[in-house]
């Protein structure tokens, strides 16, 4: 990484030039719904995605409440099946896959590149519109009788059961297009819109992560598209490709499905890792340790992600050779993931760590993702997986990575870029309290699931033997605590919009380009020439008491007077 | 007048505010198109994968079924699409050189090729429909048996291939001397149950019997999904060509601005390329 400044050095106060910001640049609903501004599209994505998260969360709480007792508690077994299916489908396809890339990525990617917009703003808007249509279809499937297949739509059950399977799989197809469009946009933008002087290895790591994510989105999603199309053809026409009654092969469906859906978990986690890479460095006031290792590991994860799908079928009757190979490859994915974790820890080592809310979430991420990643090794090894397969151990494992990982990083990112997005500071104290309540609630909810899974409690069951009741009760209580924590986190942000102090240009002392734009940025992002530096060099800025934020150190006029 | 022609020659070129140069804009759009084509290939890749798996597991079905497709029509369609790719490539060149009338003409020829392809495909589909050679549960075995027997006299070569295919695989060659109408015959049923895998539905039609491998419908499931999805892409391409023709005759394109024609050409070529793979895989099996 080179350190020197390359582009024009001009005054980079970034003070409000009284021409309004992107939020006030146009008025009325139409100016939002048909905007081509990546920032507004990002904000709309954020709102819609958080609404989907609320919906999926309500379904989760209903599922947990039903499981409070070994028998029926609040709903019938059929309703329960629909609930966990909707929880899974909404959380996966509406919340966590688009989450960080489409909401935060859209907002932050062009800013980090110092660009005026993404390379294809129309495609970007189309992606949002398609996302909304797909989400409405998913929600409509609830009214059309619901779906009880689980979010994985395994055949032959999904091709024979009643319910709105066609509608919900079609919505997955539509949402896939939205994901592909975002991916294409990001790849093109990173390739073609980098400013002069920003080579690949001068990019912030968040961009590496978004780039690797986009590659997976573009290469894996089409396979999901054809898979759900075949399910639809199977149900509507009886095409017979997955239907054993017609000589078809249901395990082929599993191969197709996981060929997308395993890489999809890296669509979820890679951008989260990108957020954490930024935050750990900024809040430790230390250059990121092992920049190239983190950058390459993002690409390595993207490549490996395509080679491990078979670990979902260890007990589905794969050949033994395939099973052994998939197991070995799955173990090898943990290497680039661990590379990242060690680099974050090394960055923090002897750093001047500041426990501001984004950093608190980042630490929560590292802890929970560590547990999630390590328990993945139990599932990757063949002998233990036979016992743990389809048990609550698996449920706990992927919630530790997906919720403890991605959702926490999403929150970290929202808090981190909130001042930039809306120009308001939030209460750090209440932000931290929310993070701690979430941390406690999360562990109570899901650690008990590790225990009961290891003891043999299968996932997705409506009734269970009484000896598991204690764990289920703990897990359900934990989920309520978790929900309270999330409401505190949301309340802090809403409160900041109403009563928050005005945010400075650079509240955290970030060295990436978005911190040179006004808070919130103007319509075309930057109003003055950019000062391009090493994105992890924090020596060129100092805290300014009057500004309540960081300002660049001017080497000629030191000390600076305002 | 001279300014008007000059304009038509140059084409309308607009540089979006977020790009620094037309070159950056052109290259961005081109990269996006290539990425989109990658997704198309991967989407069909799933189907090619399904094809490979079923062909490896049931070679007798594919050997038999391809004789039921019309090679000649398939070959004509291949030529039509290849020719349309040629006119499309020429159209891109005409756009680059600002030859507006030639560009419109070539795009129209390409579009007509699209119509030709879909027309021939329609003839093929209606033929399959008439004889019940359909997917999965829609497949009509009685019709198929009757058709295969009739065809056995008319088209010796095809029947021959069918025979060899069936004999090549021992299990596929179970030949019971009973008409399909009495397939419930206990002996035949016992044999079929015993050799569960590739039993044969048989019909004694006069002197020589025709075998139809079990699960023949699997081939037609794959055939209709692959050619159907491809057909939808051809239709989308034809819509795109129509739009290009409208814009070209309006004089939107010229030496400075031919991105849309270029990208449309790429899309049309990929649709063509997919057919180049589909044709031998479905029609020319040995
Ligand atoms: Cu997996």
């Amino acid at each position: 990484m080179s350190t020197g400044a390359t582009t024009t050095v001009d005054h980079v106060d970034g003070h409000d030039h009284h021409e309004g910001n992107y939020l006030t640049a146009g008025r009325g609903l139409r100016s939002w719904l048909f905007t081509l501004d990546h920032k507004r599209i990002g904000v709309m994505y954020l709102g819609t995605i958080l609404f989907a998260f609320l919906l999926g969360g309500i379904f989760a709480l209903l599922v947990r409440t039903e499981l409070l007792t070994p028998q029926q508690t609040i709903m019938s077994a059929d309703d329960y099946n629909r609930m966990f299916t909707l929880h899974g489908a909404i959380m996966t396809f509406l919340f966590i896959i688009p989450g960080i890339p489409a909401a935060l990525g859209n907002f932050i990617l062009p800013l980090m590149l110092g660009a005026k917009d993404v390379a294809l703003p129309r495609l970007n808007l189309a992606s949002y519109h398609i996302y909304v249509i797909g989400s409405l279809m998913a929600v409509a499937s609830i009214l059309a009788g619901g779906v009880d297949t689980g979010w994985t739509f395994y055949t032959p059950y999904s091709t024979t059961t009643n319910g709105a399977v066609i509608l919900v799989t079609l919505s997955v197809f539509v949402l896939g297009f939205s994901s592909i469009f975002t991916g294409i946009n990001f790849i093109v933008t990173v390739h073609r819109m980098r400013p002069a002087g920003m080579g690949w290895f001068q990019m912030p790591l968040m961009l590496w992560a978004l780039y690797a994510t986009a590659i997976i989105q573009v290469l894996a999603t089409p396979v999901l598209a054809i898979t759900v199309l075949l399910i639809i053809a199977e149900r509507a026409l009886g095409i017979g490709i997955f239907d054993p009654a017609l000589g078809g092969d249901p395990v082929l469906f599993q191969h197709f499905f996981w060929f997308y859906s395993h890489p999809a978990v890296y669509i979820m986690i890679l951008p989260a890792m990108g957020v954490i890479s930024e935050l750990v460095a900024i809040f430790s006031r230390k250059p990121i340790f092992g920049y190239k290792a983190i950058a390459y590991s993002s690409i390595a994860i993207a490549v490996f992600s395509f080679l491990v799908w078979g670990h979902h079928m260890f007990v589905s009757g794969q050949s033994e050779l395939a099973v052994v190979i998939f197991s070995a490859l799955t173990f090898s994915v943990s290497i680039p993931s661990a590379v990242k974790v060690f680099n974050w820890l090394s960055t923090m080592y002897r750093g001047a760590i500041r426990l501001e809310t984004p950093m608190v979430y980042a630490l929560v991420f590292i802890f929970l993702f560590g547990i999630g990643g390590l328990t993945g090794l139990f599932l990757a090894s063949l002998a233990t997986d036979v016992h743990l397969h389809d048990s609550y151990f698996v449920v706990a494992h992927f919630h530790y990575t997906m919720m403890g990982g991605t959702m926490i990083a999403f929150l970290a990112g929202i808090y981190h870029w909130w001042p930039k997005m809306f120009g308001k500071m939030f209460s750090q104290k209440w932000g931290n309290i929310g993070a701690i309540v979430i941390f406690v609630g999360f562990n109570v909810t899901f650690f008990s699931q590790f225990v009961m899974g290891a003891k043999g409690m299968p996932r997705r069951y409506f009734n269970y033997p009484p000896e598991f009741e204690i764990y289920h009760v703990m897990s359900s209580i934990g989920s309520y605590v978790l929900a309270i924590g999330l409401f505190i986190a949301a309340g802090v942000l809403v409160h900041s919009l109403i009563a928050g102090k005005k945010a400075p240009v650079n509240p955290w002392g970030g060295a990436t380009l978005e911190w040179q734009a006004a808070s919130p940025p103007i319509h075309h992002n930057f109003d003055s020439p950019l000062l391009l530096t090493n994105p992890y060099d924090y020596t060129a800025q100092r805290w300014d008491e009057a500004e309540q934020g960081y300002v660049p150190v001017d080497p000629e006029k030191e000390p600076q007077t305002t | 007048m001279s300014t008007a022609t000059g304009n038509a020659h140059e084409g309308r070129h607009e540089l979006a505010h977020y790009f620094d140069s037309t070159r950056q804009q052109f290259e961005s759009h081109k990269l996006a198109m290539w990425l989109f084509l990658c997704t198309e290939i991967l989407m069909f890749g799933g189907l090619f994968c399904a094809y490979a798996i079923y062909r490896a597991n049931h070679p007798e079905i594919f050997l038999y079924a391809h004789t039921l497709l019309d090679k000649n029509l398939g070959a004509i369609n291949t030529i039509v699409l290849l020719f349309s790719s040629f006119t499309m490539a020429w159209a891109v060149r005409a756009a680059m050189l600002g030859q507006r009338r030639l560009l419109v003409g070539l795009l129209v020829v390409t579009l007509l090729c699209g119509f030709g392809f879909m027309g021939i495909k329609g003839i093929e589909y209606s033929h399959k429909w008439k004889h019940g050679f359909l997917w999965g549960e829609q497949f009509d075995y009685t019709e198929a048996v009757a058709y295969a027997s009739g065809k056995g006299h008319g088209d010796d070569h095809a029947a021959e291939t069918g025979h060899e295919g069936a004999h090549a695989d021992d299990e596929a060659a179970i030949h019971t001397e009973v008409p399909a109408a009495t397939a419930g015959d206990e002996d035949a049923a016992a044999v079929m149950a015993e050799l569960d895998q590739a039993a044969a539905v048989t019909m004694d039609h006069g002197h020589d019997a025709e075998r139809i491998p079990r699960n023949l419908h699997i081939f037609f499931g794959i055939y209709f999904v692959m050619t159907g999805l491809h057909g939808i892409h051809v239709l989308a391409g034809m819509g795109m060509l129509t739009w290009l023709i409208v814009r070209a005759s309006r004089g939107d394109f010229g030496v400075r601005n031919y991105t849309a024609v270029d990208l449309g050409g790429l899309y049309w070529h990929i649709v063509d390329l997919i057919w180049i793979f589909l044709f031998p895989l479905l029609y020319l099996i040995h």
Side-chain angles (χ1 to χ4, degrees):
Chain A
M1 298 177 68
S2 77
T3 16
T6 16
T7 336
T8 342
V9 183
D10 206 327
H11 79 295
V12 206
D13 297 328
H15 280 299
D16 205 348
H17 283 222
H18 306 293
E19 43 181 273
N21 57 54
Y22 79 101
L23 294 167
T24 56
R27 298 206 175 272
L29 193 62
R30 286 181 60 88
S31 78
W32 278 87
L33 288 180
F34 299 101
T35 180
L36 296 178
D37 180 358
H38 70 98
K39 299 182 289 303
R40 285 193 164 196
I41 293 173
V43 168
M44 287 194 293
Y45 251 125
L46 182 65
T48 324
I49 283 168
L50 289 178
F51 181 73
F53 181 52
L54 175 68
L55 208 62
I58 290 171
F59 289 129
L61 289 177
L62 288 170
V63 165
R64 279 316 323 163
T65 306
E66 169 54 43
L67 290 169
L68 272 172
T69 67
Q71 325 79 29
Q72 178 166 335
T73 315
I74 54 165
M75 63 179 88
S76 72
D78 282 335
D79 284 338
Y80 169 79
N81 288 346
R82 291 189 194 105
M83 285 300 154
F84 75 66
T85 301
L86 281 166
H87 163 68
I90 287 179
M91 285 301 198
T92 309
F93 296 112
L94 271 64
F95 168 64
I96 210 154
I97 287 180
I100 297 182
L104 294 178
N106 248 326
F107 187 90
I108 224 65
L109 179 129
L111 286 169
M112 279 188 160
L113 286 171
K116 292 196 187 101
D117 208 319
V118 289
L120 308 150
R122 273 171 221 284
L123 196 68
N124 202 15
L125 179 65
S127 143
Y128 175 69
H129 286 167
I130 292 170
Y131 170 78
V132 171
I133 293 169
S135 305
L136 289 177
M137 288 165 72
V139 174
S141 75
I142 303 171
L143 306 174
V147 182
D148 63 351
T149 59
W151 75 276
T152 49
F153 311 120
Y154 269 22
T155 55
Y157 186 67
S158 62
T159 53
T160 48
T161 178
N162 296 320
V165 178
I166 290 188
L167 190 57
V168 86
T169 45
L170 204 58
S171 103
V172 170
F173 179 79
V174 170
L175 290 166
F177 269 99
S178 137
S179 184
I180 286 175
F181 287 172
T182 303
I184 289 179
N185 222 332
F186 284 5
I187 294 179
V188 175
T189 308
V190 169
H191 268 281
R192 297 278 178 246
M193 312 275 282
R194 269 176 293 124
M198 187 191 278
W200 283 91
F201 291 102
Q202 282 87 47
M203 287 199 311
L205 288 163
M206 177 74 182
L207 295 185
W208 273 99
L210 286 173
Y211 182 78
T213 309
I215 289 176
I216 309 179
Q217 283 177 305
V218 168
L219 295 183
T221 319
V223 179
L224 178 73
I226 193 67
T227 310
V228 293
L229 278 188
L230 285 172
I231 288 244
I232 293 167
E234 191 87 52
R235 279 186 76 93
L237 307 168
I239 210 99
I241 287 179
F242 297 138
D243 186 354
L246 291 166
D249 185 353
V251 179
L252 183 64
F253 169 82
Q254 297 184 21
H255 280 285
F256 278 10
F257 182 81
W258 290 112
F259 184 82
Y260 166 76
S261 293
H262 186 81
V265 308
Y266 294 102
I267 296 178
M268 306 170 195
I269 199 70
L270 270 173
M273 293 166 153
V275 172
I276 301 305
S277 301
E278 297 298 325
L279 267 51
V280 162
I282 290 176
F283 291 98
S284 304
R285 308 309 297 158
K286 247 184 84 189
I288 190 84
F289 183 88
Y291 173 92
K292 281 200 174 173
I294 296 181
Y296 281 130
S297 66
S298 289
I299 303 298
I301 287 174
V303 173
F304 275 119
S305 74
F306 283 99
L307 306 173
V308 299
W309 78 90
H311 62 217
H312 295 273
M313 286 160 288
F314 283 165
V315 298
S316 300
Q318 270 181 134
S319 80
E320 273 178 33
L321 178 67
V323 162
V324 170
I325 291 172
F326 278 126
S327 170
L329 286 168
T330 303
F331 274 111
S332 61
V333 190
S334 58
I335 297 171
S337 311
V339 163
K340 283 182 191 287
V341 175
F342 290 133
N343 279 300
W344 296 328
L345 297 180
S346 310
T347 306
M348 287 192 289
Y349 178 67
R350 297 194 158 194
I353 297 173
R354 297 190 330 234
L355 287 179
E356 283 167 282
T357 307
M359 184 59 171
V360 173
Y361 276 107
L363 295 176
V364 170
F365 171 96
I366 294 174
F367 186 82
L368 297 181
F369 179 76
I371 293 179
L374 289 172
T375 50
L377 300 178
F378 293 74
L379 299 168
S381 60
L382 296 171
T384 42
D385 182 66
V386 172
H387 173 66
L388 295 172
H389 187 89
D390 259 349
S391 75
Y392 264 85
F393 192 91
V394 179
V395 178
H397 158 69
F398 70 71
H399 279 92
Y400 264 87
T401 51
M402 298 293 95
M403 191 176 190
T406 308
M407 186 214 65
I408 295 290
F410 191 29
L411 285 173
I414 291 175
Y415 272 101
H416 184 63
W417 283 297
W418 189 263
K420 189 55 64 188
M421 280 182 155
F422 298 104
K424 297 287 171 132
M425 294 306 290
F426 47 83
S427 155
Q428 298 261 359
K429 183 181 144 208
W430 280 97
N432 289 358
I433 290 173
I436 288 161
V437 175
I438 289 173
F439 178 75
V440 172
F442 180 90
N443 280 301
V444 175
T445 310
F446 292 108
F447 203 84
S448 49
Q449 296 190 3
F450 274 130
V451 179
M452 68 172 132
K455 284 173 174 269
M457 174 73 211
R459 67 193 284 198
R460 292 182 173 171
Y461 276 33
F462 178 65
N463 290 335
Y464 52 84
E467 62 259 38
F468 290 113
E469 187 167 8
I470 173 73
Y471 305 110
H472 275 295
V473 170
M474 262 174 72
S475 181
S476 297
I477 292 172
S479 73
Y480 304 141
V481 177
L482 181 52
I484 292 168
L486 287 167
F487 277 112
I488 295 174
V492 171
L493 294 177
V494 173
H495 178 262
S496 81
L497 288 182
I498 303 160
K501 273 189 293 187
K502 191 182 174 327
V505 167
N506 192 355
W508 316 122
T512 42
L513 292 179
E514 79 270 25
W515 301 111
Q516 294 182 26
S519 301
I522 60 164
H523 181 60
H524 287 329
N525 291 351
F526 299 99
D527 50 3
S528 44
L530 291 168
L531 175 70
L532 196 62
T533 59
N534 178 332
Y536 300 102
D537 175 16
Y538 302 111
T539 55
Q541 33 176 279
R542 60 174 180 80
W543 176 257
D544 184 280
E545 201 56 44
E547 180 83 357
Q548 280 295 302
Y550 285 78
V551 295
V553 176
D554 194 329
E556 285 161 29
K557 291 183 283 177
E558 176 89 11
Q560 201 181 42
T561 44
T562 318
Chain B
M1 280 310 277
S2 63
T3 40
T5 41
N7 256 346
H9 187 72
E10 290 265 304
R12 273 197 332 196
H13 84 280
E14 287 158 8
L15 179 63
H17 74 268
Y18 42 88
F19 286 118
D20 298 331
S21 65
T22 26
R23 185 183 170 77
Q24 187 191 25
Q25 175 167 303
F26 174 72
E27 286 186 346
S28 298
H29 290 163
K30 196 145 183 170
L31 178 59
M33 191 65 192
W34 277 109
L35 290 168
F36 178 70
L37 297 183
C38 285
T39 69
E40 291 284 11
I41 288 170
L42 277 150
M43 182 157 162
F44 275 96
L47 290 177
F48 282 117
C49 206
Y51 173 94
I53 287 162
Y54 282 110
R55 182 157 172 193
N57 288 343
H58 310 280
E60 76 286 352
I61 293 176
F62 284 74
L63 275 170
Y64 183 88
H66 91 281
T67 64
L68 301 173
L69 301 182
D70 193 325
K71 281 193 198 57
N72 294 329
L73 290 181
I76 293 172
N77 255 351
T78 310
I79 293 165
V80 168
L81 272 195
L82 278 176
F83 181 72
S84 77
S85 253
F86 166 68
T87 54
M88 187 72 227
W90 194 1
V92 174
R93 184 167 166 75
M96 284 174 169
L97 298 175
Q99 299 159 322
R100 182 169 134 195
R101 216 168 268 150
L102 184 63
L103 168 63
V104 174
L106 287 167
L107 288 174
V108 169
V109 174
T110 314
L111 178 62
L112 288 177
C113 287
F115 275 109
F117 178 88
M118 290 312 289
I120 293 171
K121 203 80 228 156
I123 295 170
E124 283 192 79
Y125 274 12
S126 60
H127 178 257
K128 306 267 165 328
W129 186 271
K130 202 172 92 198
H131 291 284
F133 296 151
L134 296 176
W135 54 85
E137 57 196 25
Q138 309 295 324
F139 193 89
D140 186 340
Y141 273 94
T142 331
E143 260 293 313
V145 170
Y147 175 81
S149 314
K151 192 179 154 74
H153 298 292
D155 183 353
D156 277 332
H157 175 72
E160 206 69 52
T161 328
H163 271 280
E164 280 165 19
H167 280 294
D169 191 335
D170 274 355
E171 287 170 334
I174 307 152
H175 182 176
T176 49
E177 301 280 351
V178 279
T182 57
D185 181 292
E186 287 192 356
D187 282 351
V191 175
M192 284 167 129
E194 200 178 310
L195 293 145
D196 190 30
Q197 290 190 325
V201 182
T202 315
M203 179 165 179
D204 191 359
H205 185 86
H207 353 273
D208 86 315
E210 289 297 331
R211 290 166 195 81
I212 293 187
R214 191 165 161 269
N215 285 339
L216 187 56
H217 56 258
I218 285 180
F219 176 86
F220 286 97
I222 287 175
Y223 168 82
F224 276 103
V225 172
M226 289 182 109
T227 57
L229 191 63
H230 178 260
I232 290 170
H233 279 81
V234 175
L235 286 176
M238 288 162 67
M240 170 208 78
L241 283 167
T242 313
W243 175 70
L244 286 180
I245 290 167
V246 171
R247 288 194 61 188
S249 36
R250 230 171 33 199
D252 280 5
F253 306 125
V255 281
R256 301 288 305 279
N257 173 27
Y258 52 88
T259 313
V261 186
D262 202 12
L263 301 188
L266 284 177
Y267 176 81
W268 190 257
H269 293 319
I270 210 81
V271 173
D272 186 12
L273 185 71
I274 289 167
W275 178 257
I276 301 295
F277 280 94
L278 286 181
F279 175 59
L281 285 177
L282 294 169
Y283 290 75
L284 309 175
I285 297 171
H286 284 292

